[in-house]
Amino acid sequence: MCGIIGYSGPLNARKVMLDGLAQLEYRGYDSAGIAYFGDDSRIHQIKTTGKVSRLRELCGSLDDEVSHCGIGHTRWATHGGVTQANAHPHTAGRVTLIHNGIIENYHQLTEQYHLEDRLLSQTDSEVAAWVLDSVYDGDPVGSIRRFLPLLEGSYAFCIMFSDRPGEIYAVRTVSPLVAAYTPSGSIVASDLTALIPYTKSYFVVPEGMILKMTPYQVALYDEEGCRKDPEIMVVNWNIDAAMKNGFPHFMLKEIHEQPEALKNTILPRISKGLPDFGDDGISDEIFLECSQIRIVACGTAMHAGMVAKAIMEPLLRIPVTVTIASEFRYENPLIDSKTLVIIISQSGETIDTLAALRLARSMGSKTLAIVNVKGSTIARESDYVFYTHAGPEIAVASTKAYSVQLAGLYMICCRMGLVRGCITKAEGQAFMAELLEAIPAMEEMIKEKDHIKSVVSHLVDQPDAFFIGRGLDYAFSLEGALKLKEISYIHAEAYAAGELKHGTIALIADRVPVIAIATQSSILSKMLSNVREVKARGAFVVLITKEGTAVPDDIADIQIRIPALNDHFTVFPIAVVLQLIAYYASLLKGLNVDQPRNLAKSVTVE
Ligand code: AGP
């Protein structure tokens, strides 16, 4: 997905936009551009492939040409390669716009409006600009209202019309937009990180409503063209939370923030030692009435769901199924009013996860979202929301969001167990005490980072790596493999250790790195046998076990010990180990840890 910003006000618009785009760059970073009204009241445009820093260079001295109204964009390519022509903004006649999303019928529109010979780019966004220009009659709001029904797909647009200097129009469906009128002027952006330097009060641009921004006001118009008051919200974190604060990378900062994030997520929800969701407005009925649980998410969030399944099913004795959102939405799922669908999403904007949520609701299921971004689309559309309090997660590789998602899932599991009579109050209090033990255990592993770092020199020159485990440890290994893949580009695969012998062990050869996770006591001996099998075939083995676990010294090349938590809670310190392995591998390879190639922080396109 892309980063979008629009500004109209007394400040230097180019500076506001460049600073904002730098904050939004984690959302997409293969090209960037701005368009602004110059002192000649004409629209000027600068765009380039590469990062915002390159765009800033091209802008030269920001005081040379002071503008007070403009739009800016960082791109994550969907239609068309990474080229200057495909970078946003796009100008078509009197319209200049930037876009986040996918216009699915852009081929039909290209034919319908005979645009073939006019297009300078390969993007759906430029097609949209030409279509808007063709319906523009001098009335921006009315023209946009006629324009929107012509489109199919998702969008967040910021639009300027050449005959309306100082004005910016914005509209969205599915893709996110937040806005505010501040003492520094009017501002709209893809997410709060670009607004925070100017205000803590903001509103989400409602889908289908048209936002008009001038230096002196922001106005919302509904489908009938009537003015509507925005629903003002207040941010509960400050700009420091979205800065590196002395860490070399956001990812390392966010790994360190995990203990605090867990405290902020768990502690406000404990009453008499038990989970209490009263302030969240989550009723026990959804826990009592459901006959099955479906967990739906993408990527790391889905991996959190896999851990939850392994915890919930043994305790609740009802089916818990984890499905990738992009599959769930097309599988005509067996769900009904007795199904609790738990939706997990850090950003609350992942389009496949949002579509799955909408499908679940349309089929009568109760939906409970575990979301980190307040006021996000998934949060607003779910029946119930469990907000995690990790603060903004800027690094593309999710770390603290994973840990707090797990904390939320563990608390939900405990609450469900209590209300369904699966556990006693004393057992529930013991469960919560063990969950809180995870916090110092994570702090312990963060202190071990130098020892953990010693692993990566054995990884980085290898094309492949394997993460193996059994039971919960297998669920943990899924996340370890994704972390390593997405920021070090080493092909990593998570494998159920008991399944290795059914084919994959053929890939184990001399020095192939295998990260073995062995914290589940009941299957420890089986797991150690699997470790010996790969070691016997030349693998370089890193073994992760709990302190006090009896293992032969020569069973692995490197051993990493985590605090001896209850088996069900080892995911928290292990998460830190796996995150640090990935972090240091990426660093040693000299890669961009926070903004890995081809990725974006939240996937708001299908
Ligand atoms: C994980 O490191 C990735 N950033 C990615 O898998 C992410 O977890 C996934 O895209 C889901 O994002 P969400 O939690 O914002 O929905």
Side-chain angles (χ1 to χ4, degrees):
M1 90 287 154
C2 308
I4 278 186
I5 187 166
Y7 172 77
S8 183
L11 302 183
N12 183 329
R14 296 200 305 165
K15 182 177 186 322
V16 171
M17 288 189 286
L18 289 167
D19 292 348
L21 290 179
Q23 290 289 99
L24 293 168
E25 195 163 32
Y26 73 106
R27 299 176 61 88
Y29 31 85
D30 55 43
S31 50
I34 59 173
Y36 54 92
F37 281 99
D39 43 22
D40 57 3
S41 294
R42 295 164 61 86
I43 294 178
H44 301 255
Q45 195 179 102
I46 303 172
K47 59 184 186 177
T48 180
T49 55
K51 297 209 180 292
V52 174
S53 54
R54 172 79 186 119
L55 178 65
R56 194 182 287 271
E57 284 168 16
L58 293 174
C59 288
S61 162
L62 297 181
D63 299 327
D64 285 353
E65 182 186 3
V66 179
S67 166
H68 298 290
C69 179
I71 55 179
H73 186 272
T74 58
R75 184 173 183 243
W76 183 78
T78 54
H79 290 73
V82 178
T83 65
Q84 165 106 10
N86 289 340
H88 298 214
H90 291 286
T91 293
R94 295 156 298 174
V95 169
T96 295
L97 63 73
I98 53 180
H99 170 225
N100 176 25
I102 285 187
I103 305 304
E104 295 176 353
N105 63 329
Y106 82 106
H107 280 308
Q108 295 90 315
L109 291 169
T110 301
E111 289 168 15
Q112 185 180 343
Y113 287 86
H114 312 297
L115 302 176
E116 293 82 354
D117 300 337
R118 279 195 276 179
L119 295 176
L120 302 176
S121 76
Q122 303 156 300
T123 66
D124 54 340
S125 311
E126 186 191 2
V127 170
W130 281 111
V131 172
L132 177 53
D133 182 60
S134 65
V135 302
Y136 182 53
D137 63 2
D139 165 16
V141 173
S143 302
I144 294 170
R145 278 217 319 279
R146 288 195 304 281
F147 162 65
L148 297 180
L150 303 171
L151 307 179
E152 292 170 17
S154 60
Y155 51 78
F157 289 114
C158 275
I159 305 161
M160 300 196 299
F161 296 92
S162 55
D163 58 346
R164 312 287 295 205
E167 296 177 10
I168 292 173
Y169 296 82
V171 65
R172 62 175 284 263
T173 190
V174 180
S175 298
L177 275 179
V178 290
Y181 179 70
T182 80
S184 304
S186 306
I187 188 164
V188 61
S190 307
D191 71 40
L192 285 170
T193 50
L195 267 54
I196 284 290
Y198 307 97
T199 181
K200 282 193 171 250
S201 301
Y202 70 101
F203 61 91
V204 174
V205 179
E207 288 193 322
M209 285 209 188
I210 297 167
L211 174 70
K212 175 183 179 182
M213 289 194 343
T214 71
Y216 320 103
Q217 69 162 1
V218 296
L220 275 178
Y221 296 92
D222 66 12
E223 285 82 352
E224 282 70 48
C226 302
R227 275 288 298 266
K228 292 291 180 186
D229 291 333
E231 181 192 341
I232 301 301
M233 303 168 84
V234 179
V235 185
N236 60 1
W237 43 270
N238 60 37
I239 186 63
D240 279 356
M243 308 299 279
K244 289 181 192 168
N245 295 353
F247 283 92
H249 300 98
F250 280 112
M251 184 179 179
L252 189 60
K253 170 178 173 256
E254 289 154 9
I255 289 171
H256 280 74
E257 287 176 334
Q258 290 182 107
E260 190 63 25
L262 256 73
K263 286 177 195 158
N264 295 339
T265 299
I266 298 171
L267 296 181
R269 296 179 168 109
I270 294 184
S271 163
K272 299 188 178 72
L274 295 171
D276 178 344
F277 301 149
D279 291 345
D280 302 288
I282 300 173
S283 74
D284 284 341
E285 281 63 47
I286 63 171
F287 299 140
L288 269 171
E289 288 163 6
C290 72
S291 59
Q292 66 162 328
I293 295 173
R294 298 296 300 263
I295 298 175
V296 184
C298 300
T300 290
M302 188 272 285
H303 295 157
M306 292 293 284
V307 174
K309 170 187 169 63
I311 297 291
M312 287 178 165
E313 264 186 351
L315 190 142
L316 303 174
R317 305 313 298 157
I318 57 173
V320 179
T321 312
V322 184
T323 311
I324 298 170
S326 53
E327 292 297 306
F328 179 86
R329 57 185 296 201
Y330 299 112
E331 69 179 25
N332 190 15
L334 288 172
I335 60 174
D336 56 22
S337 59
K338 303 284 282 178
T339 304
L340 173 60
V341 175
I342 298 178
I343 297 282
I344 310 171
S345 176
Q346 187 284 130
S347 63
E349 301 296 347
T350 299
I351 194 162
D352 283 321
T353 309
L354 175 59
L357 164 66
R358 289 173 172 169
L359 174 65
R361 295 203 67 190
S362 72
M363 297 180 78
S365 298
K366 282 287 178 286
T367 55
L368 168 58
I370 299 176
V371 176
N372 194 45
V373 175
K374 310 296 178 285
S376 54
T377 306
I378 288 173
R380 283 182 287 105
E381 294 195 14
S382 295
D383 295 306
Y384 301 94
V385 185
F386 179 106
Y387 276 122
T388 54
H389 301 310
E393 187 177 70
I394 307 299
V396 166
S398 192
T399 50
K400 60 180 182 175
Y402 176 67
S403 303
V404 294
Q405 286 162 1
L406 287 168
L409 288 160
Y410 274 60
M411 293 179 80
I412 288 165
C413 176
C414 184
R415 182 81 196 172
M416 279 192 81
L418 286 163
V419 299
R420 296 172 72 99
C422 306
I423 55 175
T424 64
K425 273 192 176 179
E427 288 166 329
Q429 285 162 339
F431 184 99
M432 290 304 296
E434 285 170 329
L435 179 59
L436 290 171
E437 276 305 303
I439 297 171
M442 296 182 91
E443 286 164 346
E444 192 58 41
M445 296 323 295
I446 289 170
K447 289 178 193 150
E448 288 293 313
K449 57 177 178 272
D450 290 340
H451 175 46
I452 295 165
K453 187 176 179 180
S454 67
V455 168
V456 300
S457 58
H458 303 279
L459 288 180
V460 291
D461 59 349
Q462 294 294 319
D464 303 300
F466 292 86
F467 290 74
I468 63 172
R470 285 173 175 256
L472 259 173
D473 288 339
Y474 168 58
F476 306 160
S477 63
L478 294 166
E479 178 57 11
L482 176 63
K483 285 278 99 44
L484 187 65
K485 267 185 283 196
E486 66 177 325
I487 63 173
S488 75
Y489 315 153
I490 296 169
H491 175 250
E493 193 170 352
Y495 228 83
E499 179 67 6
L500 268 176
K501 293 188 288 295
H502 300 278
T504 300
I505 201 163
L507 298 179
I508 303 299
D510 197 32
R511 296 186 59 237
V512 170
V514 175
I515 316 286
I517 305 171
T519 66
Q520 303 303 299
S521 312
S522 62
I523 39 179
L524 179 66
S525 59
K526 296 279 192 310
M527 184 61 201
L528 295 181
S529 300
N530 297 141
V531 172
R532 288 190 187 90
E533 287 156 10
V534 295
K535 192 86 180 74
R537 286 158 178 82
F540 182 88
V541 177
V542 178
L543 179 60
I544 305 172
T545 56
K546 293 196 289 189
E547 281 155 5
T549 304
V551 291
D553 291 342
D554 62 352
I555 194 167
D557 297 280
I558 294 179
Q559 288 208 35
I560 296 173
R561 298 286 193 163
I562 64 166
L565 299 177
N566 171 303
D567 289 6
H568 282 177
F569 297 85
T570 55
V571 61
F572 295 96
I574 284 176
V576 172
V577 175
L578 301 178
Q579 292 159 1
L580 287 172
I581 288 175
Y583 173 77
Y584 286 117
S586 180
L587 214 54
L588 190 55
K589 291 186 73 175
L591 299 171
N592 186 328
V593 174
D594 286 333
Q595 298 177 357
R597 69 185 180 200
N598 306 341
L599 297 181
K601 183 58 185 171
S602 170
V603 183
T604 57
V605 292
E606 294 180 64

